Amino acid sequence: HPDRVPGPLADVKEQCARVFSRLSEAHQTLTDIQKRSRYINLLREGVAGDEGQAEILRVVDASTNFQKAEVFLKRNDLAQAEEFCRKAVTGDDKQADYHALLAWLLSMKPDQQSEVATKTFIEDLTRAIGLNKMCERAYFYRGMLHKRLKQDEPAVKDFRRAFELNPRNIDAQREVRLFDMRRGGSPSH
């Protein structure tokens, strides 16, 4: 991982980040049914052509921009995260994760906290789920926005789905447990 590059190798950290990004994208492509299918179709159409190469570069660049957006989100640099996420969506608008993250980033802006704006972002996340029913991120973020509107039932339903898709999503698990405790039931696992 680029963050674990030892001090003496600091001059190659950027190259490590690029390699790590490509490896992450390859892993995501191979493990996601839709992405893998799209990649296989690109290969069948003939990657040797300029158009195929351009498509692959566009998709890889979009993935790299998305990963940068995630890094900036973790650093709480929402403006940079939004900028890179917009580039990712522009580069590959068929990725549910890209749309989900962009909707979430926009929903966190102080001037986008109203009920009307929040409902719009919930619709955006629902469209992202339409692109990929397995988009854990979209379910989790939609759950958070339902929670913002104090819509407990749809929120916990989304948190449960996010947790089903990724049992390591401790935030979704925590939200389900909190809901169960408030309701007086036993915590779900």
Side-chain angles (χ1 to χ4, degrees), residues 23-61:
L23 288 172
S24 295
E25 174 63 18
H27 180 265
Q28 288 176 1
T29 299
L30 293 174
T31 57
D32 181 280
I33 294 169
Q34 287 181 330
K35 288 181 182 181
R36 184 174 57 230
S37 175
R38 189 164 178 223
Y39 177 72
I40 289 169
N41 287 337
L42 285 174
L43 290 176
R44 286 185 184 140
E45 292 171 5
V47 184
D50 290 341
E51 190 175 308
Q53 289 288 353
E55 171 73 3
I56 289 173
L57 285 174
R58 186 180 59 74
V59 168
V60 169
D61 285 343

Side-chain angles (χ1 to χ4, degrees), residues 170-187:
I170 58 172
D171 294 325
Q173 182 183 27
R174 181 186 66 241
E175 292 293 339
V176 170
R177 285 184 177 177
L178 288 171
F179 175 81
D180 287 344
M181 288 184 339
R182 282 193 304 264
R183 195 176 54 179
S186 62

Side-chain angles (χ1 to χ4, degrees), residues 11-140:
D11 57 324
V12 295
K13 187 173 182 174
E14 188 173 319
Q15 289 91 343
C16 289
R18 281 197 296 268
V19 169
F20 185 78
S21 172
R22 299 289 195 251
L23 288 172
S24 295
E25 174 63 18
H27 180 265
Q28 288 176 1
T29 299
L30 293 174
T31 57
D32 181 280
I33 294 169
Q34 287 181 330
K35 288 181 182 181
R36 184 174 57 230
S37 175
R38 189 164 178 223
Y39 177 72
I40 289 169
N41 287 337
L42 285 174
L43 290 176
R44 286 185 184 140
E45 292 171 5
V47 184
D50 290 341
E51 190 175 308
Q53 289 288 353
E55 171 73 3
I56 289 173
L57 285 174
R58 186 180 59 74
V59 168
V60 169
D61 285 343
S63 174
T64 301
N65 284 323
F66 178 71
Q67 289 173 348
K68 288 177 183 178
E70 288 181 306
V71 168
F72 282 112
L73 175 61
K74 286 178 185 171
R75 294 179 182 166
N76 206 27
D77 185 341
L78 303 183
Q80 286 291 322
E82 179 186 343
E83 178 184 333
F84 282 105
C85 195
R86 284 187 186 280
K87 288 179 182 179
V89 169
T90 300
D92 188 359
D93 68 349
K94 306 240 184 310
Q95 298 303 318
D97 280 310
Y98 301 0
H99 289 281
L101 181 57
L102 183 58
W104 179 245
L105 289 166
L106 295 173
S107 77
M108 290 193 297
K109 291 183 171 187
D111 63 338
Q112 297 296 318
Q113 303 284 315
S114 71
E115 181 177 344
V116 171
T118 300
K119 286 180 179 180
T120 299
F121 296 125
I122 288 172
E123 291 170 10
D124 292 343
L125 291 163
T126 300
R127 280 191 291 278
I129 291 167
L131 288 172
N132 181 357
K133 301 269 187 255
M134 305 294 281
C135 185
E136 164 206 351
R137 177 187 310 268
Y139 287 105
F140 181 76

